[in-house]
Amino acid sequence: MAAEYPLPHQPDADGAKPLLIGYAAGGFDLFHVGHLNILKHAKSQCDYLIAGVVSDEMLELTKGVTPVVPLVERLEIVRHISFVDEAVAEVVEDKMETWRQLRFDVFFKGDDWRGTLRGTRLEHEFATVGVEVVYFPYTVNTSSTMLRRALDALTRPDATARWQAKTIEGTS
């Protein structure tokens, strides 16, 4: 039985060019509008978008962050974003290994990597296999780090007591 849609890297029935496959990885923890913007912009520059949701273990290893939302739930959220054609768990640190598994054409990353040692190395490695690295600006007003700080502030005893007092007074 034939696939309903052309598979990545396969010409469609008319022999048209293969789909341009994009890959956008992220923790996508405490999903916010910045995450949505990156996925939306990424999809606008490719035909088929794969979102790599970084595993809990990889977030702890690479960023020293324990996610608030577990991987299985983050995958479910990202899988249901209309711009995303496929969501996969990213379980290895080596982006070239991820490429060997998925064979994407364009790698999308936040511009905080641009001009860094990691970003430059990634660009060179991907250039050897014909993958373009495209950077997107992060949404300035929102980040998972900012949301984590807000949650931490809310869970401190003094912050909780102030919130409870306002709720009792009816001022919240």
Side-chain angles (χ1 to χ4, degrees):
M1 182 165 129
E4 186 176 345
Y5 300 100
L7 296 172
H9 294 298
Q10 300 293 320
D12 66 17
D14 299 327
K17 69 178 183 170
L19 295 175
L20 184 66
I21 301 171
Y23 182 76
F28 301 113
D29 193 25
L30 301 172
F31 198 88
H32 56 77
V33 73
H35 295 137
L36 192 62
N37 287 341
I38 284 179
L39 294 171
K40 180 180 180 180
H41 291 301
K43 180 61 178 184
S44 75
Q45 295 194 26
C46 65
D47 301 308
Y48 188 87
L49 179 62
I50 303 170
V53 181
V54 180
S55 72
D56 298 352
E57 297 79 13
M58 290 306 302
L59 280 175
E60 290 170 4
L61 176 70
T62 60
K63 291 190 171 189
V65 172
T66 301
V68 174
V69 180
L71 174 63
V72 67
E73 293 178 22
R74 290 182 285 123
L75 270 167
E76 189 69 12
I77 291 165
V78 172
R79 190 173 279 131
H80 283 86
I81 303 298
S82 63
F83 313 118
V84 174
D85 296 296
E86 182 180 346
V88 299
E90 185 173 285
V91 296
V92 295
E93 187 175 4
D94 182 1
K95 302 297 185 200
M96 287 300 293
E97 180 59 32
T98 301
W99 175 82
R100 284 189 278 281
Q101 293 171 8
L102 300 173
R103 300 296 177 150
F104 46 83
D105 305 298
V106 184
F107 181 82
F108 301 105
K109 194 65 186 152
D111 63 2
D112 58 329
W113 276 46
R114 186 191 313 262
T116 66
L117 184 59
R118 269 180 100 178
T120 302
R121 184 178 19 188
L122 189 69
E123 291 169 24
H124 290 301
E125 287 176 357
F126 277 151
T128 66
V129 293
V131 172
E132 178 184 7
V133 176
V134 174
Y135 294 100
F136 290 128
Y138 276 157
T139 303
V140 176
N141 299 331
T142 307
S143 74
S144 295
T145 301
M146 290 170 54
L147 292 173
R148 268 190 209 86
R149 286 182 189 143
L151 283 173
D152 286 344
L154 289 173
T155 58
R156 286 192 320 228
D158 60 327
T160 303
R162 279 195 311 269
W163 177 80
Q164 289 173 338
K166 286 182 180 181
T167 301
I168 292 169
E169 295 169 6
T171 60
S172 64

